[in-house]
Amino acid sequence: MRARQLEVFTAVMRAGSVTGAARMLNISQPALSQILRHLEDELGFLLFAREKGRLQATPEALELFPQADRLSGELEGLRRKAADLKLGRTGLVRVGASTPPAMSILPRVFLDFRARHPGVALRSVVAPLQSLLVMLREGDTAMAIALSDRADTDTEIEVLGRTQFCCLLPEGHELGAMQSIGFGDLAGEYLMSYRGGTQPYDELDQAARSAGQVFAPTMEIDNSISVVGFVQAGLGVALVDALLPWDQFPGVLVRPLAEEPSLPLSLFSLRGRNFSQAEVQMRAQIKMHCSALEPAT
């Protein structure tokens, strides 16, 4: 019994007539009757007989129907599942991110994605870039977003845009009266920023040199979010990425860095990886939300 024959048989059993079954399946009565005759020929026995002008199921049909009905339901479920997969409406999408995009971009991305694809489960992993790259290789995440464009050759990098740096000041700090702050304004301040050998450090160091200044953090950090408590406590000022929503932290003033160095925001994936439809649509959603950033250079 082929899939179409199964559909016709169960439809006739449910509807009780050829007319009703044809209407259910949206096909003509002659076409349905022909499929039914071919099925009976293949089976070698009748499934329906006419008595006093009405269609009656034979004992054989009544015996077949419970299992056929179950199989028909499973077939319909399989078709819905395939349609959902095609449209990206089911499955699991795992996205890794470093802290800045995890707090600024992913919330809006996930909100819009969930509205369009409520049947897709989402998983977010927040970690430093090196950990994210390991997760990509091990299959623990399908894609990752981070403020870098550096990775090994097995990783595909798509730069989506750039974000600048800003200066975080304790509330009431005298530099808070300035609209923007340059490297020269930070002389003598207890400066907290990225450690040497990292891409943010390199970008800031190069910008300082170009301005004839020196970039020499007194306290080094690996993750920009970790500096908030120190700024709030009045330990010093910080130079960090401008992507994180710093305005949400009380007791912290945010001022742009005048020299305007910037960091690339990139989408990382394992080279050669095949993406599900849901993952393809997640990538598109991420790119759309990053379109407002400074264009990649």
Side-chain angles (χ1 to χ4, degrees), residues 27-57:
I27 62 175
S28 67
Q29 292 184 45
L32 186 143
S33 297
Q34 186 178 24
I35 293 171
L36 196 56
R37 284 196 298 272
H38 287 165
L39 173 58
E40 290 177 327
D41 289 343
E42 290 179 9
L43 292 175
F45 53 81
L46 291 177
L47 292 170
F48 299 97
R50 286 197 174 273
E51 296 182 9
K52 298 180 182 180
R54 294 178 61 85
L55 202 66
Q56 295 292 332

Side-chain angles (χ1 to χ4, degrees), residues 4-282:
R4 192 55 168 167
Q5 294 171 332
L6 177 67
E7 285 181 323
V8 166
F9 170 58
T10 54
V12 174
M13 290 293 290
R14 292 168 184 164
S17 69
V18 170
T19 302
R23 189 180 301 115
M24 286 172 59
L25 298 177
N26 196 28
I27 62 175
S28 67
Q29 292 184 45
L32 186 143
S33 297
Q34 186 178 24
I35 293 171
L36 196 56
R37 284 196 298 272
H38 287 165
L39 173 58
E40 290 177 327
D41 289 343
E42 290 179 9
L43 292 175
F45 53 81
L46 291 177
L47 292 170
F48 299 97
R50 286 197 174 273
E51 296 182 9
K52 298 180 182 180
R54 294 178 61 85
L55 202 66
Q56 295 292 332
T58 64
E60 291 82 359
L62 292 172
E63 188 169 342
L64 284 176
F65 179 64
Q67 187 172 1
D69 189 45
R70 177 179 60 79
L71 290 173
S72 179
E74 291 176 353
L75 178 61
E76 181 58 30
L78 178 62
R79 286 173 173 162
R80 287 196 301 269
K81 183 76 168 181
D84 285 341
L85 288 170
K86 178 181 178 181
L87 298 173
R89 291 194 302 230
T90 189
L92 169 66
V93 176
R94 294 167 291 187
V95 182
S98 60
T99 305
M103 292 185 65
S104 59
I105 294 173
L106 279 193
R108 300 193 303 272
V109 169
F110 277 22
L111 182 65
D112 286 354
F113 186 90
R114 182 171 174 267
R116 290 175 170 82
H117 312 285
V120 178
L122 300 175
R123 182 180 298 166
S124 171
V125 179
V126 182
L129 176 59
Q130 291 306 313
S131 297
L132 294 174
L133 296 177
V134 172
M135 292 178 193
L136 287 173
R137 295 185 186 102
E138 295 180 351
D140 291 331
T141 185
M143 64 199 80
I145 321 171
L147 290 173
S148 177
D149 57 4
R150 301 175 180 175
D152 294 333
T153 55
D154 65 343
T155 306
E156 184 174 320
I157 306 170
E158 184 174 358
V159 179
L160 305 179
R162 302 188 71 87
T163 186
Q164 295 181 341
F165 291 88
C166 64
C167 187
L168 305 184
L169 309 167
E171 199 167 47
H173 194 285
E174 59 183 12
L175 291 179
M178 304 178 67
Q179 293 299 310
S180 64
I181 296 172
F183 286 104
D185 301 316
L186 297 172
E189 296 288 343
Y190 189 90
L191 180 62
M192 299 173 282
S193 195
Y194 305 92
R195 63 177 174 83
T198 63
Q199 189 163 356
Y201 177 94
D202 293 344
E203 298 288 348
L204 289 167
D205 183 56
Q206 181 178 343
R209 291 175 184 273
S210 298
Q213 302 292 330
V214 175
F215 173 62
T218 312
M219 173 180 160
E220 295 183 337
I221 59 171
D222 281 309
N223 195 324
S224 56
I225 191 67
S226 66
V227 83
V228 173
F230 299 118
V231 175
Q232 290 172 321
L235 179 62
V237 301
L239 280 183
V240 290
D241 66 85
L243 189 62
L244 253 159
W246 300 110
D247 289 332
Q248 73 179 25
F249 297 103
V252 175
L253 301 177
V254 185
R255 296 293 183 268
L257 183 62
E259 284 77 10
E260 298 187 347
S262 63
L263 275 173
L265 176 67
S266 302
L267 184 60
F268 295 80
S269 57
L270 195 64
R271 194 174 298 279
R273 186 189 194 280
N274 293 321
F275 292 96
S276 69
Q277 287 298 313
E279 289 168 346
V280 168
Q281 295 183 35
M282 174 60 79

